Amino acid sequence: VEARERVLGWQHRDTLSALHSLAECVQQAGRRQEAGALFGRAVEGRRALLGPHHPATQLSEGALAACGT
């Protein structure tokens, strides 16, 4: 994710996809608070880039809500 942010920028579609995937892995490892922070960043970037009604934005929002953070 860091390399994508450096090369593509934090609001690039590929960076945000990688961020969401990382958050899923962190969540599966039981680190819900950390996953919530990552999902939050993905939501923020996807809302700005894609809008609130885009399926990818809604996917990240649902994942964030599931974290309970």
Side-chain angles (χ1 to χ4, degrees):
V1 172
E2 291 176 6
R4 287 182 187 264
E5 284 184 21
R6 206 173 34 255
V7 173
L8 301 173
W10 80 274
Q11 284 188 331
H12 189 278
R13 185 180 298 246
D14 291 344
T15 303
L16 296 170
S17 179
L19 185 60
H20 180 94
S21 294
L22 174 61
E24 288 179 323
C25 291
V26 170
Q27 183 182 33
Q28 289 176 2
R31 298 171 10 214
R32 290 178 51 197
Q33 187 172 5
E34 186 180 350
L38 294 169
F39 281 129
R41 288 178 54 204
V43 167
E44 179 183 349
R46 285 179 162 176
R47 279 183 185 160
L49 179 67
L50 305 171
H53 303 293
H54 191 279
T57 303
Q58 293 175 348
L59 179 68
S60 290
E61 288 173 337
L64 176 60
C67 280
T69 57

